Structures are given as C-alpha cells and as structure tokens.
C-alpha cells in the first residue's frame, strides 16, 4: 500500500489526480491510501502519521 497526500485547492484538479490514481490502481494492481487536503494548513492540522 502506498500512502499519498494530495494538497490541492481546486476541486477539479483534485478529482483529476484521484481519477489518474484510480486508473493506475486498476491497470497495475497498486493500492493507494489517499488523503486529500485543500491547503497546507489543513494538511498540517489534519495529518496524523501512522
């Protein structure tokens, strides 16, 4: 499992990234744990290492 954090304030760009990752998963069988954030502040406040 690959963990990815996406920080993107534009919803359409964020969705495009998620769609690309979903397609890659489907084509290559690589699973992602994806978390999205709208800005750096949200990332810092919402990120919890595992």
């Amino acid at each position: 499992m690959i963990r990815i954090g996406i920080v993107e304030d534009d919803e359409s760009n964020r969705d495009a990234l998620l769609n690309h990752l979903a397609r890659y998963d489907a084509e290559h069988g690589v699973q992602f744990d994806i978390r999205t954030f709208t800005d750096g502040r949200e990332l810092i406040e919402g990120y919890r290492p595992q």
Side-chain angles (χ1 to χ4, degrees):
M1 169 107 29
I2 298 173
R3 293 187 185 127
I4 298 177
I6 296 175
V7 181
E8 176 57 64
D9 63 341
D10 185 277
E11 185 177 359
S12 63
N13 289 337
R14 195 169 49 246
D15 288 344
L17 287 167
L18 291 169
N19 287 334
H20 285 299
L21 289 167
R23 187 176 72 207
Y24 189 89
D25 177 7
E27 292 174 0
H28 300 282
V30 177
Q31 293 185 346
F32 299 106
D33 175 17
I34 304 169
R35 296 184 186 181
T36 60
F37 306 92
T38 58
D39 60 29
R41 174 184 278 173
E42 186 178 328
L43 168 68
I44 292 171
E45 292 174 353
Y47 176 76
R48 300 291 176 257
Q50 293 181 355

